[in-house]
Amino acid sequence: MIREMKSEDIEEVLSINQECFNSDAWSRKAFEREFELKHSYKFVLEEDGKIVGYAVVWKIFEDATLMSIAIRKDRWGRGYGKRLMGFLIDYLSGKAERFLLDVRRSNIRAIRLYQSLGFKIVSERKKYYSDGENALQMVLELEVKDENKGKTSEAVGK
């Protein structure tokens, strides 16, 4: 089940974040701050009442940006990441024109997942991460039916 993140989920979400990100892990304060931001959308993926993944997306004007996503390492390879990303794409359709994200150049598993969902690499950010690794910027153009013209358009509006 995927649902909106609540402030009481921070402990479990923080644990997943620290397990997956090491030097680039978010602090408790960073997660708490997300609840104060109107442009922040936060979700958790639960299995049997336990949080196994989360995602944080910022929606500013026509762009949605994936700020953080992680799945517990013991759940990797089971489709949870694809399920959570698919949910986000569906959720953002009608709310944003583009879905953007940054991913470590070395994170082949994530890059393949994003590409399988239609994301394209558009640029490389030099020394983006705290350890100096480059990031690939990827984008997915979201489609929605244009109600004014009755045909599909690349522009997405709420």
Side-chain angles (χ1 to χ4, degrees):
M1 172 178 90
I2 299 172
R3 63 168 173 81
E4 287 187 22
M5 185 188 300
K6 300 180 227 167
S7 57
E8 51 267 25
D9 297 326
I10 289 178
E11 195 64 41
E12 282 184 88
V13 167
L14 189 59
S15 169
I16 295 168
N17 181 266
Q18 291 171 340
E19 173 189 22
C20 294
F21 292 111
N22 304 322
S23 65
D24 290 307
W26 285 17
S27 66
R28 175 182 303 280
K29 217 168 225 162
F31 279 107
E32 289 171 349
R33 193 189 95 205
E34 292 299 314
F35 286 91
E36 299 168 14
L37 302 174
K38 289 181 181 175
H39 58 267
S40 178
Y41 297 84
K42 303 152 293 297
F43 300 96
V44 294
L45 172 60
E46 284 184 325
E47 180 182 67
D48 299 325
K50 181 176 177 158
I51 296 172
V52 297
Y54 75 88
V56 177
V57 175
W58 283 10
K59 162 64 177 69
I60 300 174
F61 298 112
E62 68 275 356
D63 290 336
T65 303
L66 183 65
M67 301 305 293
S68 185
I69 187 170
I71 303 295
R72 286 191 185 282
K73 284 188 176 182
D74 65 355
R75 299 298 202 288
W76 284 9
R78 298 185 190 176
Y80 291 104
K82 189 168 195 163
R83 184 171 156 206
L84 189 50
M85 284 298 297
F87 168 84
L88 293 173
I89 291 166
D90 288 345
Y91 179 83
L92 293 167
S93 293
K95 295 177 180 69
E97 293 178 14
R98 288 176 298 279
F99 191 9
L100 305 145
L101 61 85
D102 292 298
V103 60
R104 284 182 174 271
R105 191 175 201 347
S106 64
N107 193 345
I108 303 303
R109 166 184 249 141
I111 293 166
R112 285 185 182 145
L113 167 64
Y114 301 140
Q115 287 175 326
S116 77
L117 294 167
F119 283 83
K120 306 281 186 231
I121 297 169
V122 293
S123 67
E124 187 167 357
R125 297 177 190 239
K126 303 289 184 194
K127 299 181 181 178
Y128 182 79
Y129 293 99
S130 61
D131 62 2
E133 185 174 351
N134 292 355
L136 297 177
Q137 186 176 39
M138 301 183 77
V139 65
L140 174 67
E141 298 292 332
L142 298 171
E143 294 183 31
V144 70
K145 186 174 180 175
D146 182 344
E147 294 176 14
N148 296 327
K149 296 180 183 173
K151 54 185 169 182
T152 302
S153 155
E154 292 297 330
V156 177
K158 194 165 185 176

